Amino acid sequence: MRLGGIELGGTKMVCAISNENGEVLDRYTIPTTTPEETLPKLLDYFKDKNIDSLGIGSFGPVDLNKNSDTYGYITTTPKPGWANTDVVGYFKQLNVPIGFDTDVNVACLGEVTYGAGKDIDSVIYGTIGTGIGFGVYLDGRLVHGLMHTETGHMLLSKHEKDKDFVGPCPFHDNCFESLASGPSIEKRYGTKAENLYDRDDVWQLEAYYIGQALCNCVMCYSPKKIILGGGVMHNEKLFEFVRKETLKDINGYIKKDEILNHIDEYIVSPKLGDNAGILGACELGRLELAK
Ligand code: ADP
Ligand code: ZN
């Protein structure tokens, strides 16, 4: 099979063709400008590629309700030019089944299908980078609901040393993204997170917030594994701190061997690296074809 996939990102768009074994056969990347300029290039790429299906993972918010008039749209994004863009409608010209979901949900699906979450029916995949988003896969399917989860905007308790900090989220003073995203670190310390590698106090505070968020995820979703990716998690020291903080916040309440004795296998890095999103998008299209 030739499975088409698109990752619509805030800075770049990636298209690829994969087979059903998770091998990327071809790939094409362009910078994200306006929909008028970007979408036709993506469509042209697929026109002669003979794909069987297409899956799209998009930055959001997006409308995932198939009964809605704006299903398949990017809805209220502040990204200039992209609000109310009919993404799925545009690609209908290709005449193949189309799957559509958020960027983090498709990355989650990629890791579940081929990566660190393979053969596990309940997994959370989080990306901590410019933004924070978590894909939620429970009982063998991606979770949607009213819209889609917005785990990056869960509210957290501020550390007492951080109580005067004003984070970058325009909606919430103390949401996860405002307190722990890459731009949040940069705002707090005046330099990019990658320049702060040796500052353990920075990563302790970062883990203080990520630990709370993961504790909340464990309580709300009961995942069997948590996979954490994104630029900020490139600092490998952070994993140890995050595991400790998560255990501290759970505080013995969940008495499962996986958490109490195997936390290093419970909170893990992704296995697919940069391919998680695109392979998940291809798989999403395959699932749509299989329906
Ligand atoms: P995006 O979220 O835009 O797709 P990334 O996932 O690469 O991009 O995240 C970018 C963020 O990650 C930036 O804020 C950057 O400062 C931060 N970052 C990149 N490398 C590292 C690193 N080694 N350690 C900590 N933070 C990093
Ligand atoms: Zn917020």
Side-chain angles (χ1 to χ4, degrees):
M1 267 193 283
R2 292 175 61 79
L3 309 171
I6 306 179
E7 258 186 295
L8 299 185
T11 52
K12 65 180 195 298
M13 305 285 185
V14 184
C15 297
I17 318 273
S18 86
N19 61 21
E20 63 275 35
N21 301 320
E23 288 156 347
V24 176
L25 308 173
D26 191 52
R27 177 197 295 268
Y28 169 70
T29 303
I30 56 169
T32 304
T33 58
T34 59
E36 294 74 22
E37 191 175 17
T38 311
L39 294 179
K41 287 184 186 162
L42 304 180
L43 185 71
D44 278 352
Y45 169 79
F46 284 111
K47 267 189 177 151
D48 58 352
K49 295 289 191 301
N50 201 21
I51 52 173
D52 296 294
S53 59
L54 180 67
I56 305 171
S58 176
F59 66 87
V62 292
D63 188 346
L64 302 178
N65 175 1
K66 286 195 168 166
N67 298 320
S68 156
D69 291 343
T70 53
Y71 167 73
Y73 279 54
I74 294 173
T75 57
T76 56
T77 177
K79 196 170 170 52
W82 285 88
N84 296 314
T85 299
D86 180 8
V87 176
V88 170
Y90 187 79
F91 289 100
K92 279 189 180 153
Q93 308 171 56
L94 292 170
N95 285 317
V96 293
I98 301 176
F100 183 63
D101 214 315
T102 63
D103 44 9
V104 280
N105 266 349
V106 301
C108 183
L109 186 62
E111 284 292 334
V112 162
T113 311
Y114 303 112
K118 196 166 182 317
D119 300 325
I120 306 175
D121 64 16
S122 299
V123 172
I124 287 189
Y125 169 91
T127 173
I128 304 180
T130 308
I132 297 184
F134 277 39
V136 181
Y137 183 87
L138 291 184
D139 287 336
R141 48 188 289 192
L142 291 168
V143 167
H144 297 118
L146 182 65
M147 191 178 83
H148 42 77
T149 61
E150 283 286 0
T151 311
H153 296 270
M154 73 167 85
L155 304 184
L156 303 176
S157 297
K158 276 188 169 181
H159 195 284
E160 60 176 25
K161 288 186 193 147
D162 200 37
K163 58 181 182 322
D164 296 329
F165 175 66
V166 179
C169 175
F171 296 89
H172 315 108
D173 179 43
N174 61 322
C175 71
F176 189 13
E177 194 167 287
S178 224
L179 295 172
S181 61
S184 162
I185 298 173
E186 188 174 342
K187 193 168 180 208
R188 191 182 285 112
Y189 301 101
T191 182
K192 287 199 175 301
E194 51 270 48
N195 303 329
L196 294 162
Y197 181 81
D198 294 324
R199 288 272 306 272
D200 277 7
D201 59 319
V202 170
W203 305 108
Q204 290 286 5
L205 182 65
E206 181 69 9
Y208 175 83
Y209 291 128
I210 300 173
Q212 282 187 54
L214 296 194
C215 171
N216 293 342
C217 285
V218 170
M219 301 306 175
C220 294
Y221 301 126
S222 204
K224 293 179 180 168
K225 198 174 279 279
I226 298 175
I227 305 167
L228 285 184
V232 172
M233 294 309 300
H234 285 172
N235 182 342
E236 68 282 0
K237 278 198 284 197
L238 195 47
F239 273 91
E240 281 317 307
F241 294 163
V242 165
R243 290 177 184 126
K244 274 200 189 121
E245 286 293 322
T246 307
L247 279 175
K248 188 195 84 193
D249 289 333
I250 293 174
N251 202 21
Y253 182 74
I254 308 272
K255 295 191 181 8
K256 295 295 286 183
D257 187 50
E258 290 84 343
I259 292 177
L260 292 175
N261 301 316
H262 300 283
I263 192 85
D264 50 340
E265 292 157 49
Y266 186 70
I267 300 172
V268 299
S269 5
K271 274 201 181 146
L272 302 180
D274 289 343
N275 276 341
I278 201 66
L279 286 175
C282 291
E283 170 65 6
L284 189 70
R286 192 194 67 78
L287 290 173
E288 200 61 34
L289 176 70
K291 280 182 193 164

